[in-house]
Amino acid sequence: MRIKIEDKENFLEIFNQIYPNNKIEKINGVSIDSRLIENNDIFIPFKGILFDGNQFIGSVLEKKGTICLSENNHFTNNNRVIYTSSNKQALSNLSQTWLQKMSSKIIAITGSNGKTTTKELLHHIIRSKYKCGKSKDNHNSTIGLPLSILNCKMNDKYTVLELGANQPGEIKDLCEIVKPDLSLITNISNAHIENFKSLQDIAKTKSAIFSCLDKNGIAFVNLNDEIISNLPIKNNKVTFGFNKPKAQYNGIIINKNKLKINNFEFIVPDNISHLKEAILAVYAISKNLNIKDDEFINALKTFSVPRGRGKIQNINGLNIIDDTYNANPASMKFGIERLSSMKSNNRKILIIGDMLELGESSIDEHINIGSLINSLDIDIVLTFGNTTQFTFKELNNNFIYKKHFTDINLLKKCFNQTAKQDDLIYIKGSRSMKLERIYN
């Protein structure tokens, strides 16, 4: 990952303030990947499972004007290498100082599903009226988010940040850096549960985004999520939910393309008709920011779903819903039910890969997906991976065709032979499955 520093003047001031003995005069970007380094970049290496980034400092220094942060003292008497006790803490200090210098109000979003799409939608709505920044892509980890923050602009009125956690306590760690003014949890389910003791443990980690708000902060509470609605919240809160008359923002789904929130009824564009939960949450926040209904609708009309997040694409006559970025049981269920509910001029084809990081519940969750598929309007099912074999074995014989694969090339060949003009195809799996390879 590499980010280009846009506001060079302020970055140089902050960096030189933190490292007065290693002042720099030029900055291009900051990278944690030595392969992406350009002249006048800062390299912050980290030790991973397969590689220790510190091993590549020598090659990075061959680039003109580069600076390296290092936890090792192998480069003595080289003023282009700055020694730290922790590169992770050094990156956090940089981003925290950057945020302190900004005048922006911070809106933080976490949740088990829909974080990135909700962040992108909220940013899209807000920037139609105010200057607004956001964290890049899904860079929401304890390394990715601080790095992404360095690309935010000093004069933005609002900044929308996505916070992720695959280990206990990570949301609290991120909140200590970003210090949110407004916070949202989209939902809580058993995503990444392999790394947590229980669903309650996940909830405890996610809830830090509320408990870390200051006394003037606002928590946006999804009343349709039983876990979220029962979290203890000491701050101001704004409630929203579907068919929740007591909520401050009560949503009613009139039909596939029509939504009513309190007394405001509007048309939801067809390309985002599956995002009603995100739309309701974003509406609640936008009203708090004094965005008018007509401003909200005008911006909503121009929103495009991010790549790999359920966007419909027509490729060579095939209608492909690419939801390949990631998967967990809740999002998989939502996506498959979406396919079943949609109209198709031909057949409906479902292609799914393994859902990872589910721990001891993995097999049962994959079997449950098979049972779900059996009850829905789907014609062809192709499964890929190690654990989806249990999904496949659960399938009944009511499909036109079904097959399981462990070789991506054989799956791709089958896809090319099977898919026909006007078929509606939904593709989803965990990120490491890279199922977009099927049609790319």
Side-chain angles (χ1 to χ4, degrees):
M1 177 184 174
R2 177 185 182 274
I3 58 113
K4 183 177 177 64
I5 300 297
E6 301 292 345
D7 190 343
K8 300 184 188 307
E9 182 178 346
N10 276 304
F11 182 88
L12 289 172
E13 179 182 330
I14 288 171
F15 186 87
N16 291 337
Q17 173 188 326
I18 296 174
Y19 300 105
N21 296 325
N22 300 86
K23 290 184 177 181
I24 57 176
E25 296 181 354
K26 295 181 179 180
I27 182 62
N28 186 10
V30 180
S31 179
I32 61 174
D33 188 338
S34 62
R35 297 167 296 183
L36 303 178
I37 288 291
E38 299 180 14
N39 291 343
N40 298 311
D41 273 3
I42 294 173
F43 177 47
I44 306 179
F46 291 94
K47 188 173 183 179
I49 297 173
L50 299 176
F51 300 102
D52 182 353
N54 289 279
Q55 296 175 350
F56 304 102
I57 288 177
S59 61
V60 168
L61 291 174
E62 293 176 4
K63 292 274 188 177
K64 182 181 178 182
T66 51
I67 296 292
C68 300
L69 303 189
S70 176
E71 296 172 348
N72 300 331
N73 58 356
H74 296 160
F75 293 87
T76 55
N77 300 321
N78 191 326
N79 61 3
R80 289 169 59 197
V81 179
I82 300 172
Y83 299 105
T84 75
S85 57
S86 166
N87 278 359
K88 191 172 185 179
Q89 187 59 50
L91 176 58
S92 295
N93 290 342
L94 269 172
S95 60
Q96 200 166 19
T97 307
W98 187 269
L99 287 171
Q100 289 169 356
K101 192 174 176 67
M102 289 172 62
S103 57
S104 180
K105 282 195 173 295
I106 303 299
I107 305 172
I109 298 175
T110 192
S112 298
N113 303 304
K115 294 185 295 294
T116 302
T117 301
T118 303
K119 176 204 69 180
E120 294 292 334
L121 176 58
L122 180 59
H123 171 259
H124 183 80
I125 299 294
I126 295 175
R127 74 171 182 174
S128 68
K129 184 169 185 174
Y130 305 109
K131 289 183 178 181
C132 182
K134 64 175 181 175
S135 51
K136 186 178 179 182
D137 300 327
N138 72 315
H139 298 158
N140 59 26
S141 69
T142 52
I143 293 175
L145 179 60
L147 186 58
S148 186
I149 285 169
L150 298 178
N151 204 31
C152 295
K153 296 178 180 178
M154 291 289 174
N155 62 346
D156 284 334
K157 186 176 180 68
Y158 298 102
T159 301
V160 187
L161 302 178
E162 176 184 341
L163 281 60
N166 56 21
Q167 297 289 339
E170 287 188 338
I171 296 298
K172 182 179 180 182
D173 293 342
L174 289 171
C175 284
E176 288 175 353
I177 297 171
V178 306
K179 302 187 185 311
D181 299 290
L182 297 85
S183 293
L184 167 71
I185 305 176
T186 57
N187 46 61
I188 294 176
S189 69
N190 59 348
H192 305 296
I193 198 165
E194 181 179 56
N195 302 324
F196 294 84
K197 296 177 182 178
S198 64
L199 188 58
Q200 288 69 33
D201 201 26
I202 294 175
K204 181 180 179 181
T205 290
K206 300 286 187 190
S207 68
I209 204 169
F210 289 159
S211 60
C212 289
L213 288 164
D214 67 23
K215 63 179 181 179
N216 296 317
I218 303 175
F220 289 82
V221 181
N222 178 4
L223 295 185
N224 290 126
D225 190 297
E226 185 176 354
I227 296 175
I228 296 174
S229 60
N230 286 316
L231 290 174
I233 298 172
K234 298 179 181 179
N235 312 84
N236 302 315
K237 68 178 180 179
V238 172
T239 57
F240 64 90
F242 287 101
N243 304 309
K244 295 290 184 181
K246 293 184 179 180
Q248 289 162 269
Y249 295 95
N250 179 35
I252 298 174
I253 299 173
I254 297 173
N255 59 41
K256 177 175 175 287
N257 291 102
K258 188 174 286 187
L259 183 59
K260 184 178 181 181
I261 303 176
N262 294 346
N263 295 318
F264 177 46
E265 188 174 307
F266 59 96
I267 300 297
V268 178
D270 197 54
N271 68 309
I272 57 172
S273 62
H274 62 293
L275 296 180
K276 294 182 182 71
E277 291 182 0
I279 291 169
L280 176 57
V282 168
Y283 181 82
I285 297 173
S286 68
K287 293 299 288 183
N288 188 266
L289 306 182
N290 297 315
I291 293 175
K292 297 177 182 177
D293 288 347
D294 61 331
E295 295 170 331
F296 179 86
I297 287 302
N298 289 334
L300 192 68
K301 290 176 182 177
T302 60
F303 179 69
S304 179
V305 179
R307 182 178 176 86
R309 310 278 179 172
K311 186 174 184 177
I312 302 176
Q313 308 170 75
N314 188 284
I315 301 175
N316 299 322
L318 303 175
N319 298 307
I320 297 177
I321 304 174
D322 182 345
D323 203 7
T324 59
Y325 187 79
N326 218 337
N328 59 52
S331 66
M332 183 71 82
K333 178 177 182 290
F334 178 85
I336 295 173
E337 289 176 340
R338 176 190 173 197
L339 171 66
S340 177
S341 68
M342 294 176 71
K343 293 180 180 180
S344 173
N345 293 328
N346 202 1
R347 304 166 303 175
K348 295 180 184 179
I349 300 177
L350 174 65
I351 304 172
I352 58 172
D354 291 348
M355 301 178 292
L356 304 179
E357 296 185 4
L358 296 180
E360 295 178 356
S361 65
S362 180
I363 293 176
D364 287 342
E365 293 289 3
H366 283 84
I367 291 173
N368 291 340
I369 293 298
S371 298
L372 172 69
I373 296 169
N374 287 336
S375 67
L376 299 177
D377 179 22
I378 295 169
D379 301 300
I380 295 171
V381 182
L382 305 178
T383 57
F384 172 70
N386 295 320
T387 323
T388 47
Q389 64 175 304
F390 298 101
T391 304
F392 181 78
K393 289 175 181 177
E394 186 68 15
L395 298 177
N396 60 33
N397 294 318
N398 296 333
F399 302 95
I400 295 173
Y401 182 69
K402 62 177 182 176
K403 192 171 179 63
H404 179 70
F405 297 87
T406 55
D407 185 315
I408 191 67
N409 293 317
L410 293 178
L411 172 59
K412 187 172 184 176
K413 182 179 179 181
C414 177
F415 170 73
N416 291 331
Q417 292 172 344
T418 304
K420 305 298 181 185
Q421 183 85 12
D422 291 329
D423 280 345
L424 179 61
I425 301 148
Y426 179 78
I427 312 173
K428 189 172 184 64
S430 283
R431 179 81 299 263
S432 61
M433 307 306 288
K434 299 179 180 178
L435 285 179
E436 67 275 10
R437 294 177 289 172
I438 296 169
Y439 70 88
N440 282 343

